[in-house]
Amino acid sequence: MNEHEIPPPDGRPVDVYLDLLRVRMPNDDYQLLLSVVEPVLQAIDEQQMPTIDFSLDGDNAEALPQEIRDEAALVIATAVTGRLDNEVVEIDTDETGPVRVVTDAVTASDPERLGEIADYLRERHQQNEELRGIAEASGLPSDF
């Protein structure tokens, strides 16, 4: 078992991470972060993730500073993975522009693996564009 996989003695990794953020962040920012992540954490605890609609990139996300969005993504990743070594990396592709991705520290420091993720993002974007074209040609909504 790696060091980052050992459960903390006083609770879940996400609770430890939130405690660290509470100390590190200004109170207003921390409260804003909690307003974003609490519904998601509750859904995870209740194992209702398929029914929750959550995005850090939607219309409402524009009001959130990038730092809060990044921390929210890291809090959620910690809750899902139980790992404290998650990082946000920005991968730039010509098709999509910069995309922020949460991954573990080993992957974040591996240029080859990041290249594979960029390839996947390009392929996914191409598939979405094809589906969007099919939807538009069929008279179906294409705003997915």
Side-chain angles (χ1 to χ4, degrees):
M1 186 177 279
N2 293 329
E3 175 183 317
H4 61 273
E5 295 172 325
I6 298 172
D10 293 348
R12 303 176 307 168
V14 69
D15 295 330
V16 171
Y17 190 65
L18 284 170
D19 286 343
L20 291 171
L21 291 176
R22 181 181 14 228
V23 171
R24 194 183 83 198
M25 295 176 79
N27 189 50
D28 290 345
D29 287 350
Y30 182 75
Q31 293 305 316
L32 180 59
L33 173 70
L34 283 181
S35 72
V36 173
V37 300
E38 280 182 335
V40 178
L41 296 178
Q42 183 176 355
I44 291 170
D45 286 344
E46 295 171 0
Q47 298 179 351
Q48 294 180 358
M49 281 306 289
T51 62
I52 190 165
D53 181 18
F54 177 75
S55 174
L56 294 174
D57 294 325
D59 294 333
N60 297 335
E62 294 303 317
L64 290 174
Q66 187 63 53
E67 179 183 356
I68 301 294
R69 285 189 270 173
D70 287 350
E71 287 299 349
L74 290 170
V75 167
I76 294 164
T78 301
V80 171
T81 66
R83 297 175 63 125
L84 294 168
D85 71 333
N86 298 305
E87 294 183 25
V88 174
V89 294
E90 189 169 272
I91 298 176
D92 197 10
T93 66
D94 294 334
E95 294 82 2
T96 63
V99 176
R100 300 176 83 73
V101 177
V102 177
T103 188
D104 63 274
V106 173
T107 300
S109 65
D110 183 347
E112 185 175 318
R113 184 68 180 113
L114 292 176
E116 292 171 3
I117 294 170
D119 290 343
Y120 171 79
L121 292 171
R122 282 186 206 95
E123 181 180 317
R124 182 65 186 252
H125 177 74
Q126 181 181 6
Q127 291 172 353
N128 285 345
E129 289 305 306
E130 289 174 10
L131 290 172
R132 186 171 281 113
I134 292 168
E136 287 174 359
S138 302
L140 298 171
S142 61
D143 58 344
F144 49 88

